[in-house]
Amino acid sequence: MNKSIRSRALTGTALAVAVSTVLTACGGEDSSSDAKAEGTASATPAAAVKDPLVATFDGGLYILDGESLKLSRTIELSGFNRVNPAGDEDHVVVSTDTGFRVLDATGQTFTGIEYKGTKPGHVVRHAGRTVLFTDGTGEVNVFDPADLSSGRKPEGRTYTSAEAHHGVAIELADGELLSTLGTEEKRTGALVLDRNNKEITRNEKCPGVHGEAAARNEAIAVGCENGVLIYQDGKFTKVDAPDDYGRIGNQAGSDTSPVLLGDYKTDPEAELERPTRISLIDTANKKLRLVDLGTSYSFRSLARGPEGEALVLGTDGAIHVIDQNSGEIEKKIPAVGKWQEPLDWQQARPTLFVRDDTAYVSEPGKKALHAIDLKTGRKITSVTLPESTNELSGVVAGH
């Protein structure tokens, strides 16, 4: 396999998909399919998996080899669980009902590391730090993912929001911490703290604040119901949407580009809006451009390519490759069959996860997972799994 499968140099921020929704996980006891006990290795420990992927299904987790897509291990874990890269070469963060748990995906077993709390939400990687936001408590935990290799819970920074809410936080390279503001009923904006958790500044002109992404020159954006709020060089700037209600709730950033990719919704009354337009937010010029794809997509459809290109998995089954500067749709890469986003956000739908030059796309209707070379558009390999998968992630080192 060529370097399209893996090159550890690309930043995690460039690959982050701002998968952003309220988490109401209800995970339970887990067991290895070999050992039938929580996080324990069997008498013959599994061999290490190369560049593992982790996919969730109803009742557990699949760990797959990142090159062959071979199913290496099944871990039983009841309930609705979520997965995100932890920020190093080996680990993935799994959100369960008890909190964030750290999975050694390479070693194919849960570690004893857990950040307990109800409704574990966003996991953000940036500037060599990983930040966890627990919605049920408002607690923020920051750690260096390199410390996970010790097997012990890393020493790290903590901060607790004034009130619990569905939020997100990100630590900047200089130690500043941006965290959202809100309550369970209403979210209003964001504040920034110094290294000692002393407030530096805030902005509460971002109704319904949701999701985050980082662009080149450390421009940090959070989504609003009427545009985006950008923090850069010590100050906030609001970029308004062209519509009175123009919600950008999910974003994907790249360290190679000043332009962020976001979704875009305009109907506040919709049970489920299936938008066909995406937003491109120029953080350097503080401008917002809308691009109509001609097909709808879901919150698990957004990603960035190795050159900063915007990637959107459409319900037409194709990955739309968009020039982040011009908004031109450069090409469409066939990936899966046509699909429709289900009404319930916890229901499975095709999911896009990008690592370097490779796009991994799940196809729940066929219990399939595909690896696609973004440069050539060629399908590298596919696998059929025992059950339909929901979320898809993997190890991503460096950010």
Side-chain angles (χ1 to χ4, degrees):
M1 187 59 57
N2 61 29
K3 67 178 182 178
S4 67
I5 292 292
R6 197 83 170 105
S7 98
R8 303 195 190 280
L10 193 60
T11 67
T13 301
L15 301 177
V17 177
V19 175
S20 308
T21 51
V22 178
L23 177 68
T24 54
C26 50
E29 292 300 311
D30 70 273
S31 60
S32 163
S33 59
D34 294 337
K36 294 299 180 185
E38 178 191 4
T40 58
S42 62
T44 54
V49 179
K50 182 181 179 182
D51 305 326
L53 300 172
V54 179
T56 69
F57 66 93
D58 186 8
L61 309 171
Y62 290 135
I63 300 178
L64 306 102
D65 183 280
E67 183 171 331
S68 67
L69 299 188
K70 178 183 177 182
L71 175 57
S72 184
R73 175 161 284 200
T74 299
I75 297 177
E76 295 178 5
L77 185 65
S78 62
F80 180 78
N81 303 292
R82 312 200 69 186
V83 286
N84 285 279
D88 68 353
E89 298 178 354
D90 299 312
H91 296 88
V92 167
V93 176
V94 183
S95 304
T96 73
D97 68 331
T98 61
F100 295 102
R101 298 180 62 188
V102 177
L103 173 71
D104 181 351
T106 300
Q108 305 184 74
T109 186
F110 272 104
T111 69
I113 302 171
E114 182 174 9
Y115 293 82
K116 292 183 179 293
T118 58
K119 298 182 181 179
H122 287 252
V123 179
V124 176
R125 296 163 295 113
H126 178 72
R129 292 291 184 270
T130 299
V131 184
L132 313 176
F133 194 104
T134 302
D135 293 348
T137 63
E139 183 176 270
V140 175
N141 284 280
V142 184
F143 61 86
D144 183 341
D147 293 339
L148 295 173
S149 60
S150 70
R152 298 186 299 273
K153 191 173 184 177
E155 293 184 4
R157 175 181 188 174
T158 61
Y159 163 73
T160 302
S161 307
E163 294 192 56
H165 64 283
H166 178 50
V168 66
I170 180 171
E171 187 175 272
L172 281 66
D174 63 2
E176 291 182 349
L177 181 71
L178 183 150
S179 190
T180 53
L181 292 163
T183 66
E184 289 187 1
E185 292 76 32
K186 185 179 182 181
R187 303 190 299 274
T188 57
L191 56 72
V192 178
L193 309 170
D194 66 14
R195 288 178 177 271
N196 299 313
N197 288 351
K198 181 180 178 181
E199 184 175 330
I200 299 172
T201 185
R202 68 168 58 199
N203 185 296
E204 296 190 65
K205 296 181 179 180
C206 184
V209 60
H210 190 274
E212 59 69 42
R216 193 170 68 194
N217 296 325
E218 209 168 33
I220 311 299
V222 292
C224 316
E225 291 178 350
N226 56 4
V228 294
L229 186 62
I230 299 171
Y231 179 76
Q232 188 176 29
D233 298 329
K235 66 178 181 179
F236 282 106
T237 303
K238 179 68 179 297
V239 179
D240 292 325
D243 300 279
D244 290 338
Y245 182 90
R247 183 178 187 270
I248 300 173
N250 302 284
Q251 312 93 38
S254 167
D255 283 349
T256 67
S257 172
V259 179
L260 298 172
L261 166 66
D263 58 1
Y264 192 75
K265 295 184 176 183
T266 57
D267 185 357
E269 305 301 326
E271 180 181 7
L272 173 66
E273 183 176 350
R274 295 186 171 98
T276 62
R277 291 183 295 175
I278 54 93
S279 56
L280 296 174
I281 304 105
D282 187 333
T283 62
N285 297 315
K286 308 299 188 290
K287 292 183 179 180
L288 186 154
R289 176 204 303 264
L290 299 178
V291 177
D292 197 322
L293 302 179
T295 184
S296 62
Y297 56 91
S298 88
F299 68 91
R300 293 202 183 112
S301 293
L302 309 181
R304 302 302 290 268
E307 306 301 324
E309 59 269 42
L311 305 173
V312 183
L313 176 63
T315 55
D316 60 356
I319 299 173
H320 296 246
V321 182
I322 306 161
D323 183 286
Q324 72 271 26
N325 297 308
S326 68
E328 177 185 356
I329 300 174
E330 297 180 326
K331 58 182 176 180
K332 300 177 184 179
I333 302 175
V336 297
K338 292 183 178 181
W339 55 283
Q340 184 178 57
E341 182 179 7
L343 288 175
D344 182 350
W345 74 271
Q346 292 189 358
Q347 292 298 307
R349 78 285 310 280
T351 296
L352 173 64
F353 172 69
V354 174
R355 190 164 61 190
D356 306 319
D357 295 333
T358 304
Y360 299 94
V361 186
S362 64
E363 191 168 12
K366 295 183 178 180
K367 300 181 180 179
L369 180 63
H370 312 284
I372 299 169
D373 188 316
L374 287 170
K375 288 186 175 180
T376 65
R378 181 176 63 89
K379 191 167 287 186
I380 302 167
T381 189
S382 297
V383 66
T384 300
L385 297 167
E387 302 290 343
S388 296
T389 60
N390 198 340
E391 294 217 344
L392 175 65
S393 190
V395 299
V396 177
H399 42 304

